[in-house]
Amino acid sequence: MPNYRRNYVPGGTYFFTLVTANRRPILGTDAARQFLREAIRDEQSKRPFDLVAIVLLPDHLHAVWTLPPGDVDYSTRWRKIKERFTTAYLAAGGVEADVSESREAHGERGVWQRRFWEHTIEDEDELKRCIDYIHWNPVKHGLVARVADWPWSSFHRYVDMGEYNRDWGTGRVVPDIPGAEWE
């Protein structure tokens, strides 16, 4: 088994990818989006973090967070978000993927892939590339032709803040983030 090592930088900014179990497109419903939104907000109220950017696709999500000064515990935050989402999703009749004996022995459900991918963002240029990657992702996956056409993205907030114009990314290929092939 690989040795998973996380990079923990107090007050750091991180790029994350979380994927559903067996890449099932469970995140594409209004209910699932609401469960995830509530889980994130609930966790932010308990363990604050700045949600810098996010995109929600049917079978995965990308996000950039900045933690408070001195704080490194993004793992607990994601674990709690995934747990809250899973509880609400299953209670509402959501169907989970088959669970292996190993996952069952650990009390895990078949909603999310184990673990998540993280990348520590080193500087402002890398932060901009990560945010661009997040916002470009629905186009990359062929879900829409234009970035502005995907409603479940922080792109629209960035347009409102004047960081992008509404036509940003049209015909543009955004550079990949190192390691983002995990998605």
Side-chain angles (χ1 to χ4, degrees):
M1 178 174 184
N3 183 15
Y4 292 97
R5 297 183 62 127
R6 299 277 185 210
N7 189 30
Y8 295 104
V9 175
T13 299
Y14 303 91
F15 175 94
F16 300 101
T17 301
L18 283 76
V19 181
T20 61
N22 299 337
R23 288 204 163 266
R24 295 170 54 247
I26 65 171
L27 302 176
T29 68
D30 289 339
R33 286 187 290 273
Q34 182 64 31
F35 299 148
L36 187 60
R37 185 178 306 110
E38 290 170 0
I40 290 170
R41 285 183 181 151
D42 188 43
E43 188 58 23
Q44 279 181 304
S45 74
K46 293 179 170 113
R47 293 174 192 83
F49 61 91
D50 182 22
L51 180 59
V52 177
I54 190 167
V55 66
L56 183 63
L57 291 93
D59 64 353
H60 69 284
L61 69 88
H62 297 290
V64 171
W65 290 0
T66 299
L67 297 181
D71 194 338
V72 298
D73 196 8
Y74 55 78
S75 293
T76 296
R77 287 170 172 87
W78 276 124
R79 180 173 46 84
K80 293 295 191 181
I81 289 168
K82 287 165 78 173
E83 286 174 0
R84 286 184 188 102
F85 173 88
T86 298
T87 299
Y89 172 76
L90 294 175
V95 178
E96 62 186 309
D98 291 335
V99 178
S100 67
E101 288 182 23
S102 172
R103 286 183 74 137
E104 192 171 330
H106 287 94
E108 297 174 8
R109 307 301 302 254
V111 175
W112 295 99
Q113 277 187 7
R114 279 185 170 167
R115 301 179 184 86
F116 55 86
W117 186 83
E118 59 79 16
H119 171 77
T120 305
I121 297 174
E122 301 290 334
D123 58 34
E124 289 297 317
D125 288 339
E126 187 174 26
L127 175 61
K128 176 72 170 125
R129 286 193 316 273
C130 288
I131 293 170
D132 287 352
Y133 179 86
I134 283 174
H135 295 149
W136 178 255
N137 212 245
V139 175
K140 174 187 173 190
H141 288 284
L143 298 169
V144 291
R146 297 174 344 118
V147 175
D149 294 338
W150 191 252
W152 303 289
S153 167
S154 56
F155 173 76
H156 306 284
R157 177 170 45 104
Y158 277 76
V159 168
D160 291 345
M161 293 185 318
E163 297 290 326
Y164 294 110
N165 66 50
R166 184 131 328 260
D167 292 328
W168 177 87
T170 303
R172 178 177 177 204
V173 176
V174 176
D176 283 338
I177 302 304
E181 64 275 2
W182 193 78
E183 72 167 293

